[in-house]
Amino acid sequence: MTHNSENPLFQSPDNNNHQPPTEAQRALELETRLPMTGWQQEVSKGLEYGLEAAQSIRDRTIPTFSRGELPHYAGINTFLKAPYLEDVRQVGNYDVAIVGVPHDSGTTYRPGTRFGPQGIRRISALYTPYNFELGIDLREQITICDVGDIFTIPANNEKSFDQISKGVAHVFSSGAFPIILGGDHSIGFPTVRGVCRHLGDKKVGIIHFDRHVDTQETDLDERMHTCPWFHATNMKNAPAKNLVQLGIGGWQVPRNGVKVCRDRATNILTVTDIVEMGLDAAAEFAIQRATDGTDCVYISFDIDCIDAGFVPGTGWPEPGGLLPREALSLLGKIVQKVPVCGLEVVEVSPPYDISDITSLMATRVICDTMAHLVLSGQLPRKEKPAYIHPESQPELVAWT
């Protein structure tokens, strides 16, 4: 594609008024700057490993056995069909590591999120690594691996939490950016605990997208999916004043959790707050509070922060949540302006969603996050971030 003054794609809608180009016009220009190296390497590998196609096939980039992105309905379902990394000791060789956490023993109502990682990976095959509006091609700009799932222990939260913390700590300390596929929201505590083990004296802020506060100490006498932030903010590396909760509201917010938010002075915006103050102001609210005295920010995205009409496949659907465009826009504004150290997407429960749209929404959240990390220069990493401490240390507890 040639960019010249005679090409109407790159002219202003009204040259006399000198109007700026539309988003679509900018996107058309951005695509010309993207390389094709990653795609060409994938094609070459596919032909080598999957054999050349039958003679009747005219497109000679197609192998006999499906390898790589195409066809979208075939192949092994890793996330975005990224390479499966069997030897997790090599995870530091990649920019991003996808980690499944198939755990739903912390669920208090509708189980099924143990199938979340599987569902997200399956529908992610629908996506290409290229985003038109953002001008990003993940295959060309970063390296991604899928390390598979952490071995969780059914019906035992605490043993599963120990497994999750050890797994996340390993990936985080390697320098690879961890993206966790949940799983119910009880995993928010062990994931943050895994990060904290390699922070040394550094601190992490938490930005939490949700309809529920999840700050109870216990639920049904255990640490459940309503409790992660009580225990995460017990740790000195994760101060409660740096917990920001976006989208909270409705009829499923326990009052004892509200009391904890009040006592610990956490930061909350309801959906109405976000809509009335605007996305830019809401993002700035979250950024200021999550980064006040911290060195990095962990993002926990509960899929039920989005209105239940768009994400029926979740354990605790609550009408009145954010619209998908609002949630994605708010997420992007935040990611581009804070040092993000990890992302988890939780509470996707495929058994309640016959069309996979909830898993698809989770996939969009993950892909958008990676794209904004590239746009902001956070990925690929030239070196390990300074907040990663090389040695694992026991978490320091501030609250009793």
Side-chain angles (χ1 to χ4, degrees):
M1 184 180 296
T2 302
H3 182 180
N4 58 57
S5 59
E6 295 182 358
N7 188 336
L9 292 174
F10 299 106
Q11 294 180 8
S12 301
D14 185 344
N15 285 328
N16 294 328
N17 293 331
H18 302 289
Q19 294 180 0
T22 65
E23 181 181 49
Q25 289 170 324
R26 290 194 300 271
L28 290 166
E29 167 65 12
L30 287 171
E31 192 278 333
T32 67
R33 307 175 191 174
L34 293 171
M36 297 290 287
T37 308
W39 177 80
Q40 291 164 350
Q41 291 173 344
E42 184 175 292
V43 168
S44 297
K45 184 181 291 185
L47 293 172
E48 179 184 357
Y49 293 172
L51 309 181
E52 290 189 1
Q55 289 302 311
S56 60
I57 304 299
R58 288 182 290 179
D59 182 350
R60 302 311 294 174
T61 66
I62 294 175
T64 297
F65 291 87
S66 174
R67 296 290 184 270
E69 176 190 345
L70 298 174
H72 294 290
Y73 52 81
I76 305 300
N77 280 325
T78 58
F79 187 81
L80 287 185
K81 294 191 176 178
Y84 169 58
L85 185 64
E86 187 171 18
D87 185 354
V88 296
R89 294 171 298 181
Q90 305 303 316
V91 69
N93 294 329
Y94 294 84
D95 297 314
V96 173
I98 306 295
V99 184
V101 181
H103 177 75
D104 62 5
S105 297
T107 302
T108 56
Y109 180 42
R110 301 201 304 184
T113 54
R114 68 179 62 188
F115 301 109
Q118 182 184 90
I120 295 168
R121 288 184 175 111
R122 181 176 62 246
I123 200 63
S124 76
L126 181 65
Y127 270 20
T128 75
Y130 167 64
N131 181 280
F132 176 64
E133 302 101 309
L134 297 177
I136 290 292
D137 191 325
L138 298 173
R139 176 168 48 200
E140 303 297 334
Q141 293 168 285
I142 58 174
T143 57
I144 307 170
C145 70
D146 191 325
V147 300
D149 293 342
I150 288 174
F151 197 134
T152 57
I153 312 300
N156 193 309
N157 283 339
E158 298 304 324
K159 287 182 179 181
S160 294
F161 291 171
D162 289 344
Q163 288 279 90
I164 295 164
S165 291
K166 183 174 181 180
V168 170
H170 172 76
V171 173
F172 177 76
S173 65
S174 77
F177 182 87
I179 294 180
I180 292 106
L181 315 180
D184 69 51
H185 217 158
S186 69
I187 74 170
F189 161 58
T191 54
V192 171
R193 184 172 65 176
V195 168
C196 287
R197 286 179 179 173
H198 284 278
L199 286 181
D201 60 355
K202 308 295 186 182
K203 290 183 169 55
V204 60
I206 301 168
I207 296 181
H208 167 220
F209 289 77
D210 207 331
R211 293 289 278 149
H212 317 103
V213 290
D214 293 348
T215 49
Q216 297 170 243
E217 181 174 5
T218 60
D219 192 352
L220 305 179
D221 208 41
E222 296 287 344
R223 296 198 280 197
M224 306 294 271
H225 68 161
T226 55
C227 308
W229 309 129
F230 180 95
H231 301 284
T233 59
N234 271 350
M235 293 181 288
K236 288 184 178 180
N237 294 107
K241 75 180 184 70
N242 299 117
L243 171 62
V244 182
Q245 301 176 279
L246 303 174
I248 307 302
W251 295 90
Q252 301 165 357
V253 182
R255 290 181 62 183
N256 51 354
V258 174
K259 182 179 185 300
V260 171
C261 294
R262 191 167 55 244
D263 291 345
R264 297 192 178 185
T266 65
N267 308 278
I268 296 176
L269 291 181
T270 67
V271 171
T272 300
D273 289 331
I274 293 169
V275 170
E276 291 186 349
M277 71 195 304
L279 296 177
D280 286 334
E284 192 59 31
F285 173 95
I287 292 166
Q288 288 181 355
R289 286 157 178 78
T291 60
D292 181 17
T294 63
D295 302 275
C296 56
V297 171
Y298 184 81
I299 296 178
S300 180
F301 195 101
D302 188 323
I303 206 70
D304 68 33
C305 73
I306 296 172
D307 187 273
F310 297 96
V311 289
T314 188
W316 280 94
E318 174 60 38
L322 294 165
L323 299 178
R325 280 182 297 186
E326 293 170 339
L328 291 171
S329 177
L330 184 57
L331 177 68
K333 291 175 185 295
I334 291 170
V335 170
Q336 287 213 29
K337 293 184 178 180
V338 300
V340 186
C341 65
L343 167 74
E344 65 185 15
V345 180
V346 299
E347 295 291 350
V348 173
S349 189
Y352 294 100
D353 185 352
I354 61 171
S355 57
D356 286 329
I357 61 172
T358 308
S359 296
L360 183 61
M361 189 70 232
T363 300
R364 181 64 192 263
V365 167
I366 294 165
C367 290
D368 276 26
T369 297
M370 288 192 286
H372 289 296
L373 289 170
V374 172
L375 287 170
S376 61
Q378 298 185 65
L379 288 178
R381 289 172 168 171
K382 297 178 182 178
E383 57 186 7
K384 285 187 186 182
Y387 53 73
I388 298 179
H389 193 280
E391 301 298 327
S392 179
Q393 299 176 329
E395 54 276 4
L396 300 174
V397 178
W399 295 78
T400 57

